[in-house]
Amino acid sequence: MADHATDIEPPAAAKELSLAQIALRNRGVFWGGAVLVVIALFALIGPWFVSDPTALNPINRLKPPGSNGLFGTDMLGRDVYSRVINGAQVSLIVGLFVAVIAVALGLFLGLIAGYIRLMDALIMRLMDGLMSIPAILLAIALISLSGATLTTVIIAIVIPEIPRVVRLVRSVVLTVREEPYVEAAIAAGTRIPTILMRHVLPNTIAPLIVQATYICGSAMITESILGFLGAGIPPEIPSWGNIMSEGRTFFQLTPWIIFFPGICLAVTVLAVNVVGDGLRDTLDPRIARNMR
């Protein structure tokens, strides 16, 4: 009986789809993913074909887009196009790492909080405390204490994002743990780690993938805000945020310094959000059923 009980699986389990199948079924995933691939290629390959983003050329300072540079030059004569291309690396690295780390930590804490009642109150009160502090203020405080580096910026953005993932995973676990197949596994004496990995974890994958895309977009915006406020990536490392921060003084005379990194940030975040919406529509069986 024990062997049969532990083999019980959730009825009508959703059919697993590959990323290619999802992209073909949903136009949002396809076009948003295509834009992200192009931006990623520019970020990876582009720096090899552009000039040094830190090279100073005071003679060509504040030149408009044209012969002196595709996106013009800034107040120090640096090529804005080169800086925007290199800044794409920073934004994509921050968005990707923040999403992966926040989802991993949030998943771990959410599984414990949702399944082990004794840990639920402790973990959730800690998460409520983190959510009560504005994310930007918390990030600025953490960066001020530890110094502005790429690593500290990622950590500072990750911490405010963890509670969102914990609450999402916890809500899924609280629902799944009452299902008959989980109760059967408990009655059969199955160990808690096995129950979590085999029966509970698969139910969190789809919502976590969608949540990760939103975290990625939010992290890129937060990094740009920190850079714009002068509390993010150091100026010697080009990022879309600090490029716009440096150009705000001359915005009325040289709007291109802010316009080009700003439009790149907007397009990238829009593409990430479109992919997230498409994944939600495809992976959520209730929405997919209503769209048929």
Side-chain angles (χ1 to χ4, degrees), residues 18-31 33 279 282:
S18 67
L19 185 59
Q21 290 174 318
I22 293 175
L24 291 175
R25 289 190 176 193
N26 190 286
R27 292 183 178 179
V29 176
F30 178 80
W31 290 110
L279 290 174
T282 304

Side-chain angles (χ1 to χ4, degrees), residues 2-208:
D3 292 338
H4 293 295
T6 55
D7 288 338
I8 298 177
E9 298 293 342
K15 183 180 178 181
E16 295 184 359
L17 298 174
S18 67
L19 185 59
Q21 290 174 318
I22 293 175
L24 291 175
R25 289 190 176 193
N26 190 286
R27 292 183 178 179
V29 176
F30 178 80
W31 290 110
V35 171
L36 290 178
V37 168
V38 172
I39 294 174
L41 288 175
F42 269 102
L44 292 174
I45 303 175
W48 294 91
F49 300 96
V50 296
S51 60
D52 183 2
T54 62
L56 306 181
N57 189 1
I59 298 178
N60 290 326
R61 62 190 301 267
L62 302 178
K63 296 294 184 180
S67 58
N68 293 298
L70 186 61
F71 290 173
T73 60
D74 63 7
M75 71 293 302
L76 298 176
R78 295 172 298 188
D79 183 17
V80 176
Y81 176 71
S82 175
R83 293 179 62 77
V84 169
I85 292 295
N86 282 268
Q89 289 186 344
V90 173
S91 291
L92 292 178
I93 288 173
V94 169
L96 180 61
F97 275 81
V98 168
V100 171
I101 297 173
V103 167
L105 295 177
L107 174 62
F108 176 74
L109 295 174
L111 288 174
I112 295 176
Y115 197 84
I116 303 176
R117 297 185 186 277
L118 293 177
M119 298 296 296
D120 186 21
L122 175 62
I123 293 175
M124 295 314 298
R125 296 299 76 77
L126 177 61
M127 295 300 107
D128 290 341
L130 287 177
M131 293 186 71
S132 67
I133 306 174
I136 295 295
L137 294 181
L138 180 58
I140 292 175
L142 293 174
I143 294 172
S144 300
L145 292 174
S146 55
T149 64
L150 180 60
T151 302
T152 55
V153 167
I154 291 175
I155 294 174
I157 300 175
V158 163
I159 293 176
E161 296 290 349
I162 293 176
R164 301 183 186 181
V165 183
V166 173
R167 293 174 70 90
L168 172 64
V169 174
R170 175 179 176 269
S171 65
V172 174
V173 174
L174 289 176
T175 301
V176 173
R177 64 175 295 168
E178 304 299 330
E179 295 291 337
Y181 57 90
V182 176
E183 294 180 349
I186 295 174
T190 307
R191 299 173 57 207
I192 291 179
T194 303
I195 294 175
L196 291 177
M197 295 299 296
R198 183 174 181 182
H199 300 292
V200 179
L201 181 61
N203 290 276
T204 67
I205 299 301
L208 276 179

